[in-house]
Amino acid sequence: GNSVTQMEGPVTLSEEAFLTINCTYTATGYPSLFWYVQYPGEGLQLLLKATKADDKGSNKGFEATYRKETTSFHLEKGSVQVSDSAVYFCALNVMNTGFQKLVFGTGTRLLVSP
Amino acid sequence: DVKVTQSSRYLVKRTGEKVFLECVQDMDHENMFWYRQDPGLGLRLIYFSYDVKMKEKGDIPEGYSVSREKKERFSLILESASTNQTSMYLCASSLDRVSGNTIYFGEGSWLTVV
């Protein structure tokens, strides 16, 4: 089946530290991959995406590369800020019998302290 | 910008009540989705719709139904609310059935069933 596995949180970092949040997936076919972010009390916002192998998605200093050989889509940022504190969800988008369907990981909470 | 609007942010209902959660999108999207979000479980798909009056079951449809009478509006219905349906409910939409299309989320509706 289709599934996404994320590292458990919370991830606690100091401001300006390097961030990695691991994400691996299992999928049939050729999924598109996404990172969504959820700030406290809000819905999910798209952070970045990649639609084919070796694509790199990037936004707001965050990056992730679609690695088909390792079935991974790890999220990285070189220098985190307090404002990056949120829950991050990795997701894959498969076409299930012709219908678009997002499958999410369980989310990783990031806490950044000054 | 795409806007997905959920009419109620916070609701408290009694066990056995019928509950309607309403969602409207303003970008003429074909696809609309209802997810629920629970700690440790991430987001799980309840129902989705790819056209007016069309609906498909997601991963956890039991205890829920949906209605899509107009393209822009997708309603989630709890026929007889139970305490295990206490959760955050997220509505989402996307343009069409292309795998790489972004799925846009509303801000969520927190439902408590007492």
Side-chain angles (χ1 to χ4, degrees):
Chain A
N2 301 303
S3 66
V4 175
T5 302
Q6 285 181 244
M7 60 190 291
E8 292 228 8
V11 173
T12 304
L13 295 173
S14 298
E15 207 165 22
E16 300 184 2
F18 184 86
L19 168 71
T20 300
I21 300 178
N22 290 337
C23 170
T24 57
Y25 67 90
T26 303
T28 53
Y30 302 96
S32 296
L33 300 174
F34 301 79
W35 277 101
Y36 281 84
V37 58
Q38 186 177 36
Y39 298 103
E42 298 184 11
L44 273 69
Q45 301 174 26
L46 177 70
L47 182 58
L48 53 85
K49 69 179 183 181
T51 57
K52 61 184 188 297
D54 300 325
D55 269 3
K56 179 187 282 189
S58 61
N59 186 27
K60 299 181 182 179
F62 291 89
E63 293 184 340
T65 301
Y66 188 160
R67 302 282 188 202
K68 189 179 173 185
E69 63 277 10
T70 55
T71 62
S72 65
F73 193 54
H74 305 320
L75 182 68
E76 296 181 337
K77 186 176 186 183
S79 176
V80 294
Q81 305 300 313
V82 172
S83 57
D84 293 327
S85 298
V87 180
Y88 292 81
F89 291 91
C90 184
L92 64 84
N93 196 359
V94 294
M95 298 301 290
N96 184 9
T97 61
F99 302 117
Q100 184 189 36
K101 182 180 176 183
L102 261 184
V103 175
F104 285 89
T106 53
T108 302
R109 184 177 298 277
L110 171 65
L111 300 170
V112 181
S113 56
Chain B
D1 279 353
V2 174
K3 189 144 181 74
V4 179
T5 303
Q6 295 182 231
S7 57
S8 303
R9 290 298 310 275
Y10 302 96
L11 305 93
V12 179
K13 299 292 181 181
R14 295 193 181 277
T15 301
E17 273 194 76
K18 191 169 185 177
V19 181
F20 292 87
L21 299 179
E22 307 285 343
C23 175
V24 176
Q25 49 92 5
D26 66 355
M27 285 301 291
D28 202 34
H29 282 176
E30 290 184 5
N31 301 331
M32 295 189 75
F33 308 83
W34 276 106
Y35 287 85
R36 66 176 280 177
Q37 181 179 5
D38 300 289
L41 297 175
L43 278 80
R44 294 177 292 168
L45 182 63
I46 305 171
Y47 267 97
F48 64 101
S49 168
Y50 56 92
D51 201 352
V52 176
K53 297 191 185 294
M54 306 303 290
K55 60 184 180 183
E56 293 287 334
K57 292 180 180 179
D59 299 317
I60 52 164
E62 296 78 18
Y64 303 94
S65 63
V66 290
S67 172
R68 194 165 182 202
E69 296 297 318
K70 294 184 178 181
K71 191 174 185 179
E72 68 271 18
R73 189 178 298 270
F74 192 37
S75 302
L76 180 69
I77 303 156
L78 288 66
E79 294 288 344
S80 177
S82 63
T83 55
N84 63 12
Q85 292 178 311
T86 292
S87 186
M88 180 168 180
Y89 292 87
L90 289 162
C91 178
S93 72
S94 68
L95 180 62
D96 55 29
R97 299 190 201 186
V98 174
S99 171
N101 279 340
T102 298
I103 295 182
Y104 297 89
F105 285 83
E107 292 195 332
S109 297
W110 288 95
L111 172 65
T112 301
V113 183
V114 298

